[in-house]
Amino acid sequence: MIAEVITDVSAHPVDRPFDYIVPERMEAVIERGARVKVPFGNRKVLGFVTAFKDTSDVPVNKLRPVDELLDLEPVLSTEMLELADWMRETTLCFEIDALQVMLPSALRAKYEKVIHIIRAEQLGEEVARFVGSRKTVAVKEFPEPMLPALKRLAKEGAVSIETAIRQRTAVKKERVLVIAGPEQLDHVHALVKKGARRQAELLEWLQSHAGETIPSRDVMEMTGTTRATVRALIEKGAAAEEQVEVYRKPEVGLLPEAAGDPVVLTGEQADAVGRISASADEGREETFLLHGITGSGKTEVYMQVIRRVLEQGKEAIVLVPEISLTPQITSRFKKRFGPLVAVMHSGLSAGEKYDEWRKIQRGEVKVVVGARSAVFAPFRNIGVIILDEEHESSYKQEDSPRYHARDVAIRRAKMHGCPVILGSATPSLESFARAHKGVYTLLSLTERAKQQPLPEVRIVDMREELKNGNRSMFSVELAEAIRDRLEKGEQTVLFLNRRGYSSFVLCRDCGTAVQCPNCDISLTYHRATERLQCHYCGHEEQVPLTCPECGSEHIRFFGTGTQKVQEELHRLLPEARVLRMDVDTTRQKGSHEKLLRQFGEGEADILLGTQMIAKGLDFPNITLVGVLSADTMLRLSDFRAAEKTFQLLTQVSGRAGRHEKEGEVYIQTYAPEHYAVELAKDQAFEPFYGIEMANRKRFSYPPFYYITLIRFSHEDLMTVSDRAQKAVAWLTDKLGPDSLIIGPTASEVARVNNRYRYQCLIKYKKEPKLAGVLTDLVQIYRNTWMKEGLLMSIDMNPSSIS
DNA sequence: AGCACGCCGACT
DNA sequence: GTCGGCGTGCTC
C-alpha cells in the first residue's frame, strides 16, 4: 500500500503529495486525514495522509516507508480534506497551509534538533562533562562554543544529529485516587501504625468515600494532607493512583444580566425562525441574509433556530467577530445551551483551544461559538452555520490562507446540506446585492425587539466648533449632554475612532512628524512605555528632544489617543468616573470582561474606547453615545471607506437606549454632509445601499466586479517597480479584454521594514482564464523573481486595498 | 589546504 | 522550509 502525504513544509516546490510505502503493521489502522511522521530529505517531518493507492509512479528505489503513525483516529475528515483542496484552488495557498489552518495549533509539530550519543568514550572531556549520563541532548542546550566540536563528532560518527518532532501541547492528565472498597479499607486500618495520626485521619476520610474516584489534588486539599501521607496509604492498599485525561477549564466570566431563557418573539422574529427552521428541516443548503436593525433581536433568532437543529440531533456553528471582544453574546449562549457549548477564541491558551477542539471532535458538545477559525469546527452533522455581523472584515484572514469565513461557511453548508445565516444591521454590499438578486434569501427585522424607538441622533459640525474657538475634542453640545447624564446617574459611551488618529510627534517649525526609519509612516507615541512605536514593523525608539529633521526644540505631541481624551475629560468633568477600554487596558487576559462587568454594575459613568466597544455592548443604563471623530475612516483611500464608516456609526449608535430609557447619540464630524454620516443618523441602510452601489458601479468595484490584489515588495525601489510593471504587462497580454488591470502603483504605505511596496489590481466580472493565468504568473515568479529577493502575494478577494 | 559564504536543487 | 553539495574567494 502506498500513501500520498502532504508534508509539513510550506514552500512552492513541495506543494504536492509525496508517495510513501505504508509498512504492513500500519495497513489495517492508517486512514486518510491522519498525521504521520515521514522521512523527508535528511530529516523527519510531519505530514497528512490524503490518499491511498496500490502503485506509485515514483521509482521504487526512491520510495521510503512511513516512519510513524501519529493518529489512530484521523484528525481531519474526508470533508475537511476536500475543503482544503477547495481552499487551495480558491485562495491560491499551499495545501499544507490549508490543512494546518483547520486544526488547533497544539496539533502542529514542533521540531527540535537533538544529538544522540553513540560512542560516549569519544566525546572529549568538555562535551562529555556537559552531556553527563544523558543519551540524547537538545542541540540548543549546548553553549555556542561547543557546536564546532559537535559537528566534528557527528562526522566521526560518535554522535548523530536528528530532528525530533514534538507535539506542542499534550493532552492534560491529572492524578486521581481510585479508593478501595470498605472491607479493604478496614483491612488497611489494621496496618496503620499507632503514631501515624495523619494517615489515620486520611483513612477515616477515605472510608467515607469508599469506592469513589477523586482527583488526588482535591483529596489532599480537602483533608489537609500531603503527598507523603497519600503515598503511604496507597502502599498499604487503601487506594490506587491513576492518570486520567482531563480538559483544561478556561475562565469564563459570565456577565451578570445576560438572559438565559428564551423570550417571546416578535412577528418578524418568529417568521425568520420559521423559515430558517423549515430550510434546516428539509436539509436545504440555503443562505439567509438576516438584516435586522440594531436591537431587533437577531441573537434570539439564532438561538431558537439552534434549539430546533439540536432537537434533530444536528450541530451548530456560530461565528462572531473576534469573540473575546463580545463576552456578552458568548455569555448568552453559555446560559442557554450550557455544557453543550464550546467556545473558541484568541484569548484561550493553545491547550485550552485543543481541549475545546477535542470536545467537538468527540461529539461531546453540539454548539461552537467562536471567531473566524471556528468555521472549521470538526462537526460531522452540521445543521446550521451562523455568521453574526457578517459584514465584519475580521472574517477575512489577512495572511495565507487568505480565506473568508463566509465563503467557507457556505461551502461547508453545501456539503452538509444545511442553511447559513448571515446576520447584520449593516450587511456588506456584496451580501445585500446577492440577497437582491435572489442568491440569498432576505429576512428583515425592522422593529426593535422591545419596541424602543431608535435613538435620537445629532450630527455636530466640528468646523463650526472650531470657528467658535472651541479647540477641544468635545463640542459644547456633547459636553453638555455628558454633564446632564452625570447628574441623572445615567451612563455614557464615548467612542474614539483611533485609526489614523493616534498620537504622533510633530515639529512645529518644519511641520514633519517623526518617521519610522524602516517604513514610510509616522511613529506613534505610546504613553504606557513613553516611547515611539511603528505599527508596521514594530520599531521602537525614545522620544527625541529635538526634531530629527531640522533640529528645532519646538516639538510636541499631536493627535488624539484615548489617554489624551481621558485627560481632557477629567479636566472637563473632574467628578466623572471614566473607564478606558483600548488595546492598552485590555491586553491582560480577562480584562475585557472585567471592564465590561464594572461598567455594567455601574462602577463608572463613562466608558471611553476604540473599535472594540462598538459591538455587542448592551446595558440598560446607557442613554448617551458620543462619537468623537466620525470621519477619520473616510480619509482612507479604500473603496470600502464609506461602507465601513456607515457600518461603524450605525453600530455605535445602536449601543444607546436598548432598554426602557431612551437613548441619544452625538456624532462629531468634519464632514457632516457626507452621505455615510448623514444616512447613519437614521440607520437608513437602503438609501445608503443605493448611493454606495451607484458609486461602486461607476468605479467598477465589488459587488459589480470581482477584484484580485497582487502585491510586490523588494529592498530596491527600481527592481520592485520594474517587476510589477512586467507582471502587469504579462497579465494584460494574457487576460481577456473585459478585465481591467489597475496599476502598478506604489502602495499606500510605500515602504515597510525597508522593503518598497507596489501593487496592482485586477477587476473582472467573468474571467475563466484567471486561475490558470495566476498560476502561470506564480510559476514565473518562482522561476525568476523570487530568486532576486522579490516577494509577491495574491489576494483573490481583498477586504481592503489600502 | 581549509574554511566561510552564497547559490542551487532536491526532498517520495 | 531546510539541507547538503559545490563553486568562489580569502587567509594562513
Side-chain angles (χ1 to χ4, degrees):
Chain A
M1 185 157 71
I2 305 286
E4 290 189 3
V5 174
I6 299 288
T7 56
D8 179 20
V9 180
S10 182
H12 269 122
V14 291
D15 180 31
R16 61 193 169 85
F18 282 76
D19 293 350
Y20 287 88
I21 298 162
V22 178
E24 236 165 77
R25 65 193 148 88
M26 287 181 202
E27 280 192 3
V29 279
I30 195 166
E31 283 185 59
R32 292 179 69 201
R35 294 171 307 153
V36 285
K37 190 165 127 188
V38 292
F40 199 63
N42 54 351
R43 62 208 167 113
K44 300 266 165 57
V45 297
L46 187 125
F48 292 89
V49 177
T50 54
F52 296 107
K53 52 192 182 185
D54 294 326
T55 57
S56 171
D57 299 335
V58 178
V60 198
N61 57 9
K62 281 184 120 185
L63 281 179
R64 298 164 80 182
V66 172
D67 209 56
E68 199 182 323
L69 176 62
L70 294 167
D71 306 301
L72 291 176
E73 199 51 44
V75 291
L76 291 168
S77 61
T78 48
E79 182 216 343
M80 292 308 211
L81 294 176
E82 256 174 75
L83 194 61
D85 285 340
W86 170 83
M87 267 171 63
R88 198 199 67 234
E89 283 161 26
T90 53
T91 75
L92 300 176
C93 67
F94 300 140
E95 183 88 15
I96 187 65
D97 291 332
L99 293 169
Q100 300 267 36
V101 79
M102 301 183 187
L103 294 172
S105 63
L107 288 176
R108 263 172 240 170
K110 199 177 138 197
Y111 298 95
E112 191 178 51
K113 271 198 211 164
V114 292
I115 66 154
H116 290 273
I117 315 297
I118 298 169
R119 289 192 292 276
E121 67 281 3
Q122 245 174 289
L123 290 183
E125 201 190 328
E126 202 187 6
V127 176
R129 194 170 345 109
F130 188 81
V131 169
S133 60
R134 290 179 287 180
K135 280 249 139 258
T136 60
V137 186
V139 170
K140 69 167 190 266
E141 276 186 52
F142 285 93
E144 187 77 30
M146 244 183 251
L147 295 182
L150 285 180
K151 228 178 209 172
R152 201 193 60 238
L153 288 168
K155 212 172 258 172
E156 293 166 3
V159 302
S160 68
I161 301 179
E162 277 166 39
T163 34
I165 299 179
R166 199 170 293 173
Q167 200 165 302
R168 283 195 181 171
T169 317
V171 169
K172 189 178 172 184
K173 300 251 173 95
E174 190 175 68
R175 279 183 230 263
V176 292
L177 282 185
V178 182
I179 303 165
E183 317 85 55
Q184 171 74 8
L185 289 175
D186 287 341
H187 175 67
V188 173
H189 190 78
L191 298 174
V192 175
K193 296 221 175 71
K194 247 205 167 152
R197 277 206 45 73
R198 285 291 183 196
Q199 287 188 40
E201 270 174 41
L202 178 58
L203 184 61
E204 195 181 319
W205 189 89
L206 290 179
Q207 278 172 322
S208 62
H209 293 270
E212 293 177 30
T213 299
I214 303 170
S216 311
R217 197 155 40 93
D218 293 356
V219 172
M220 289 188 278
E221 219 166 81
M222 283 187 271
T223 58
T225 48
T226 55
R227 275 213 71 68
T229 321
V230 174
R231 210 175 295 141
L233 283 184
I234 289 172
E235 265 167 42
K236 296 188 171 73
E241 199 166 43
E242 283 177 12
Q243 295 258 326
V244 295
E245 234 179 76
V246 292
Y247 292 128
R248 297 161 184 85
K249 293 182 195 110
E251 210 51 54
V252 275
L254 287 188
L255 289 163
E257 37 60 71
D261 300 324
V263 297
V264 180
L265 300 180
T266 65
E268 288 176 335
Q269 283 176 314
D271 180 53
V273 171
R275 291 180 60 185
I276 302 166
S277 299
S279 188
D281 291 351
E282 291 165 33
R284 251 185 284 147
E285 38 169 281
E286 187 174 1
T287 302
F288 292 91
L289 177 61
L290 182 62
H291 176 212
I293 57 167
T294 57
S296 59
K298 291 184 286 292
T299 311
E300 191 57 38
V301 172
Y302 305 153
M303 292 202 285
Q304 303 220 2
V305 171
I306 292 170
R307 194 178 55 181
R308 177 74 159 258
V309 161
L310 295 186
E311 280 166 9
Q312 304 205 325
K314 295 183 184 174
E315 300 119 2
I317 297 176
V318 183
L319 303 182
V320 297
E322 193 38 70
I323 196 159
S324 65
L325 305 183
T326 56
Q328 285 200 320
I329 192 172
T330 54
S331 293
R332 284 179 72 180
F333 277 91
K334 280 257 173 195
K335 288 208 170 155
R336 183 74 60 89
F337 300 108
L340 289 179
V341 181
V343 176
M344 291 270 221
H345 62 85
S346 60
L348 299 182
S349 72
E352 288 165 349
K353 280 183 197 158
Y354 177 44
D355 285 353
E356 297 296 292
W357 183 85
R358 281 190 299 149
K359 285 185 207 164
I360 301 166
Q361 175 90 337
R362 294 171 170 183
E364 292 168 17
V365 295
K366 299 291 172 194
V367 181
V368 57
V369 182
R372 180 177 61 228
S373 63
V375 77
F376 299 113
F379 283 134
R380 284 160 200 274
N381 189 12
I382 301 175
V384 66
I385 306 177
I386 297 164
L387 270 87
D388 190 36
E389 312 285 4
E390 69 90 27
H391 61 277
E392 274 297 315
S393 55
S394 67
Y395 284 128
K396 175 73 193 282
Q397 176 145 307
E398 285 303 330
D399 44 347
S400 182
R402 300 174 197 274
Y403 70 94
H404 197 298
R406 190 200 292 137
D407 302 335
V408 178
I410 291 171
R411 172 78 193 185
R412 286 198 81 184
K414 199 181 238 172
M415 297 172 111
H416 286 261
C418 76
V420 172
I421 311 177
L422 308 176
S424 179
T426 52
S428 63
L429 258 67
E430 283 94 327
S431 294
F432 203 74
R434 279 187 196 142
H436 258 202
K437 277 172 70 180
V439 181
Y440 299 163
T441 307
L442 182 64
L443 300 171
S444 297
L445 304 179
T446 57
E447 52 197 73
R448 289 191 131 186
K450 292 173 187 152
Q451 310 298 325
Q452 326 86 325
L454 278 175
E456 181 77 24
V457 179
R458 296 172 208 284
I459 292 173
V460 184
D461 188 347
M462 290 304 275
R463 293 172 306 193
E464 289 296 318
E465 294 286 318
L466 214 53
K467 255 188 236 162
N468 297 334
N470 178 8
R471 301 189 61 217
S472 92
M473 279 300 296
F474 298 93
S475 60
V476 175
E477 287 169 79
L478 178 57
E480 200 44 58
I482 299 173
R483 200 167 285 129
D484 173 63
R485 300 309 129 125
L486 217 48
E487 280 164 15
K488 288 192 201 153
E490 295 173 355
Q491 290 178 304
T492 299
V493 170
L494 291 178
F495 178 80
L496 179 70
N497 191 0
R498 201 184 196 178
R499 188 146 182 192
Y501 229 97
S502 356
S503 308
F504 48 94
V505 172
L506 190 84
C507 171
R508 274 202 274 182
D509 285 340
C510 68
T512 54
V514 179
Q515 297 285 116
C516 173
N518 312 319
C519 313
D520 281 348
I521 198 87
S522 306
L523 293 173
T524 307
Y525 177 67
H526 280 247
R527 177 39 81 64
T529 53
E530 299 202 334
R531 287 164 75 84
L532 296 174
Q533 258 180 37
C534 173
H535 285 175
Y536 280 81
C537 73
H539 168 86
E540 232 183 276
E541 63 180 61
Q542 291 288 331
V543 179
L545 296 171
T546 57
C547 171
E549 282 296 309
C550 69
S552 158
E553 287 173 12
H554 295 148
I555 58 173
R556 64 175 184 121
F557 301 111
F558 192 81
T560 309
T562 42
Q563 299 136 339
K564 205 180 158 196
V565 175
Q566 190 176 17
E567 284 166 19
E568 201 171 317
L569 205 52
H570 183 69
R571 223 172 300 127
L572 201 66
L573 302 161
E575 72 277 23
R577 295 165 303 163
V578 181
L579 272 183
R580 199 182 89 218
M581 204 148 133
D582 56 23
V583 276
D584 294 328
T585 62
T586 54
R587 198 165 290 138
Q588 247 192 330
K589 209 174 156 182
S591 52
H592 195 275
E593 287 86 343
K594 198 175 137 205
L595 284 173
L596 282 185
R597 191 174 308 122
Q598 282 177 355
F599 191 63
E601 286 167 3
E603 286 176 31
D605 309 299
I606 299 172
L607 180 65
L608 164 66
T610 51
Q611 320 274 41
M612 60 177 73
I613 62 170
K615 281 173 216 76
L617 204 60
D618 187 357
F619 293 119
N621 206 27
I622 301 173
T623 60
L624 175 65
V625 168
V627 181
L628 297 178
S629 46
D631 39 3
T632 46
M633 234 177 205
L634 283 174
R635 287 189 235 146
L636 293 177
S637 61
D638 192 282
F639 71 97
R640 276 188 224 275
E643 184 184 352
K644 283 186 179 158
T645 302
F646 178 83
Q647 286 164 348
L648 197 72
L649 293 180
T650 308
Q651 295 289 342
V652 175
S653 304
R655 298 309 113 213
R658 293 171 72 93
H659 298 262
E660 286 75 31
K661 295 174 186 166
E662 279 182 29
E664 203 177 19
V665 178
Y666 285 81
I667 295 176
Q668 302 189 152
T669 174
Y670 290 92
E673 67 290 334
H674 193 285
Y675 62 97
V677 177
E678 258 184 355
L679 295 171
K681 180 178 183 312
D682 300 316
Q683 300 205 9
F685 179 78
E686 300 231 8
F688 171 78
Y689 172 78
I691 296 177
E692 187 62 12
M693 282 294 273
N695 285 340
R696 297 287 178 89
K697 186 169 190 176
R698 185 143 56 105
F699 297 109
S700 311
Y701 275 118
F704 293 95
Y705 278 74
Y706 291 106
I707 54 174
T708 290
L709 182 69
I710 311 182
R711 291 180 182 282
F712 307 86
S713 79
H714 196 273
E715 286 177 358
D716 178 61
L717 178 62
M718 285 314 173
T719 310
V720 65
S721 125
D722 176 74
R723 302 304 181 267
Q725 189 65 57
K726 284 200 168 81
V728 165
W730 191 84
L731 286 168
T732 313
D733 182 45
K734 302 288 176 196
L735 289 176
D738 294 333
S739 296
L740 308 168
I741 302 167
I742 315 296
T745 50
S747 299
E748 179 136 300
V749 181
R751 185 180 52 124
V752 170
N753 246 329
N754 286 319
R755 297 179 66 89
Y756 291 89
R757 311 203 306 167
Y758 265 71
Q759 63 188 48
C760 76
L761 191 63
I762 309 170
K763 298 178 178 176
Y764 56 99
K765 274 180 187 287
K766 228 187 207 138
E767 182 54 271
K769 285 188 275 184
L770 187 66
V773 169
L774 289 179
T775 309
D776 291 350
L777 181 67
V778 170
Q779 280 301 325
I780 298 176
Y781 161 67
R782 261 184 64 186
N783 295 336
T784 54
W785 303 333
M786 203 168 92
K787 296 183 167 75
E788 347 171 302
L790 187 90
L791 280 179
M792 184 180 89
S793 72
I794 302 178
D795 193 335
M796 292 296 285
N797 223 325
S799 66
S800 154
I801 57 168
S802 66

